[in-house]
Amino acid sequence: MTRQVQSDDRAAARPLRKRREEIVDAAARVFAERGYHGASTQDIADLLGMRQASLYYYFESKEAALEEVCARGTAGFVETAEAILKNGSSAEERLRALLAAHIKPLGDRADYMLTFLNERKWLPRESRRRVGRLSRRLEAIFERVIREGMRNGEFRADLNPRLTTLALLGMMNSVAIWHHRENVTLDRIADTLADLVLRGAASDA
Amino acid sequence: MTRQVQSDDRAAARPLRKRREEIVDAAARVFAERGYHGASTQDIADLLGMRQASLYYYFESKEAALEEVCARGTAGFVETAEAILKNGSSAEERLRALLAAHIKPLGDRADYMLTFLNERKWLPRESRRRVGRLSRRLEAIFERVIREGMRNGEFRADLNPRLTTLALLGMMNSVAIWHHRENVTLDRIADTLADLVLRGAASDA
């Protein structure tokens, strides 16, 4: 009996979950295009052709929608980076993999990443802290790979791991802003930028 | 007689100009901290301890204040870059100078640059177009220096001038976001980042 009820609940929950997904997608798009403060729940409802009041069945507030969008915008970043850190390849291969992994989600989560990058300052304090901790963990992984490369001779010994990390993350985050205007794949961008920062622009001559 | 009137006008205009400067500074700070849509003219008035209604004597709207802040945030960028392009040094020196010139204004115009970077999408169409033209001129100068370096053998012949330009500008723009949290001068950041992109992270070995 209990099982039957649970099963019915799950069946009923499926369309709700799907609708919630659509709403989070719409919120991400509206936040990315207009900014958190420039976007209204009416804009989100309009995009979906639903009534504004119905939105509150899925999200209690615009802020709650922003939290969900930012959470998805950063989901998996640290886990992927930690997996790269653990595998046994060279520091150069690790750094290349970190750079590629950072822009890969732009393929299907560009609105989520843009919202995270531009609008996270509007998150409530506790969410902002959580997101800040994720950023610091990601920075620490970049710094660790750079230090390892410096130690084992793969990288120049006079690099500044901290500034290099911030510069690389800034460079890769900027891809979210400009890649859609350039006629080039994310893989190509990742390779080109990794070559630039590893080999440098100057010729070997 | 006419001259006397003009002279009186100029004398009277001085405190007005000074007050206008203070108001633009306050607007830049409020826009940088809260975003265009998160900021109200009341916030700007509060920062200056003046009445909101008095603001409209200096700016007809919040949008007009944003235009002024963005205009100052980009003022001189293209002119400085064109001057660097004209001087007779090597492509490497030119690129280093372009990178340094791009973050130097952060020393005294950080709020203006942040507002430009994050809020220019809210400018009225004509201002946005003007700003877009400035961006494209700046990108063209970077690309030209990179192509010259590729031609004369200073830079690797397999660089992608377009993607390199976008990556470098993205990297340098990110400095506006993080430099104030790091205990390091803008000169040091400029040198470190120029070394990174010119020499690369990989050791010569």
Side-chain angles (χ1 to χ4, degrees), chain A residues 64 66-76 78-79 116 120 123-138:
Chain A
L66 179 66
E67 287 193 83
E68 176 86 16
V69 171
C70 285
R72 295 191 190 196
T74 52
V78 170
E79 293 77 0
F116 165 72
R120 66 178 181 273
L123 286 169
R125 181 189 299 245
E126 194 38 59
S127 294
R128 223 166 50 232
R129 280 198 187 140
R130 192 186 54 77
V131 152
R133 283 192 293 272
L134 283 180
S135 294
R136 284 190 294 279
R137 278 172 67 190
L138 192 60

Side-chain angles (χ1 to χ4, degrees), chain A residues 4-205:
Chain A
Q4 184 58 43
V5 170
Q6 283 179 344
S7 172
D8 283 354
D9 278 355
R10 273 201 296 272
R14 225 171 287 135
L16 285 185
R17 265 205 308 274
K18 190 166 176 298
R19 195 56 172 160
R20 200 167 191 277
E21 290 291 310
E22 289 167 356
I23 292 169
V24 186
D25 274 351
R29 187 156 148 208
V30 170
F31 291 154
E33 282 178 3
R34 306 185 199 183
Y36 177 66
H37 279 294
S40 66
T41 50
Q42 184 65 60
D43 295 328
I44 301 171
D46 286 349
L47 193 62
L48 295 160
M50 69 190 283
R51 286 172 52 246
Q52 184 183 15
S54 308
L55 273 185
Y56 292 102
Y57 183 75
Y58 300 90
F59 286 101
E60 66 178 17
S61 64
K62 191 171 82 161
E63 193 178 67
L66 179 66
E67 287 193 83
E68 176 86 16
V69 171
C70 285
R72 295 191 190 196
T74 52
F77 266 77
V78 170
E79 293 77 0
T80 303
E82 280 171 349
I84 290 168
L85 193 60
K86 269 181 206 140
N87 85 33
S89 58
S90 66
E92 166 158 350
E93 279 169 35
R94 280 199 191 114
L95 190 58
R96 282 184 184 273
L98 285 175
L99 294 173
H102 198 78
I103 65 170
K104 191 165 192 283
L106 284 174
D108 59 359
R109 277 195 285 158
D111 290 337
Y112 287 84
M113 282 181 70
L114 278 171
T115 299
F116 165 72
L117 289 171
N118 295 330
E119 311 302 329
R120 66 178 181 273
K121 57 178 171 281
W122 307 115
L123 286 169
R125 181 189 299 245
E126 194 38 59
S127 294
R128 223 166 50 232
R129 280 198 187 140
R130 192 186 54 77
V131 152
R133 283 192 293 272
L134 283 180
S135 294
R136 284 190 294 279
R137 278 172 67 190
L138 192 60
E139 290 166 10
I141 292 171
F142 270 76
E143 287 187 46
R144 191 164 147 190
V145 168
I146 293 168
R147 281 182 213 283
E148 282 177 4
M150 290 166 68
R151 254 197 312 269
N152 73 15
E154 283 182 77
F155 296 164
R156 286 192 284 118
D158 62 347
L159 284 184
N160 181 316
R162 177 73 187 152
L163 293 184
T164 300
T165 291
L166 295 172
L168 294 183
L169 287 171
M171 175 188 274
M172 301 318 274
N173 284 338
S174 82
V175 177
I177 298 164
W178 54 257
H179 81 99
H180 62 92
R181 291 194 301 264
E182 307 297 314
N183 187 24
V184 55
T185 64
L186 289 171
D187 283 346
R188 177 80 198 289
I189 293 174
D191 284 345
T192 305
L193 270 47
D195 277 348
L196 177 66
V197 297
L198 281 157
R199 300 174 54 199
S203 64
D204 300 330

Side-chain angles (χ1 to χ4, degrees), chain B residues 70-151:
Chain B
C70 286
R72 294 190 191 196
T74 53
F77 266 78
V78 170
E79 293 77 359
T80 303
E82 280 172 349
I84 290 168
L85 193 59
K86 270 180 206 142
N87 86 32
S89 58
S90 67
E92 167 159 350
E93 279 169 35
R94 280 199 191 112
L95 190 59
R96 283 185 185 271
L98 286 175
L99 295 173
H102 199 77
I103 63 170
K104 190 164 193 283
L106 285 174
D108 59 0
R109 277 195 284 159
D111 289 337
Y112 287 85
M113 284 181 69
L114 278 171
T115 299
F116 165 72
L117 290 170
N118 296 330
E119 311 301 329
R120 67 177 179 274
K121 58 177 170 282
W122 306 114
L123 285 170
R125 179 190 300 243
E126 195 37 59
S127 293
R128 221 165 52 233
R129 280 197 186 139
R130 193 185 54 77
V131 153
R133 285 192 293 271
L134 283 181
S135 295
R136 284 190 294 279
R137 278 172 66 190
L138 192 60
E139 289 166 11
I141 292 171
F142 270 75
E143 287 187 46
R144 191 164 146 191
V145 169
I146 293 167
R147 281 182 212 282
E148 281 177 2
M150 291 166 68
R151 254 198 311 269

Side-chain angles (χ1 to χ4, degrees), chain B residues 43-99:
Chain B
D43 295 328
I44 301 171
D46 286 349
L47 194 61
L48 294 160
M50 67 192 283
R51 287 170 52 244
Q52 184 182 16
S54 310
L55 273 184
Y56 292 102
Y57 182 75
Y58 300 91
F59 286 102
E60 65 179 17
S61 64
K62 191 171 81 160
E63 193 178 68
L66 179 67
E67 288 193 80
E68 176 86 16
V69 170
C70 286
R72 294 190 191 196
T74 53
F77 266 78
V78 170
E79 293 77 359
T80 303
E82 280 172 349
I84 290 168
L85 193 59
K86 270 180 206 142
N87 86 32
S89 58
S90 67
E92 167 159 350
E93 279 169 35
R94 280 199 191 112
L95 190 59
R96 283 185 185 271
L98 286 175
L99 295 173

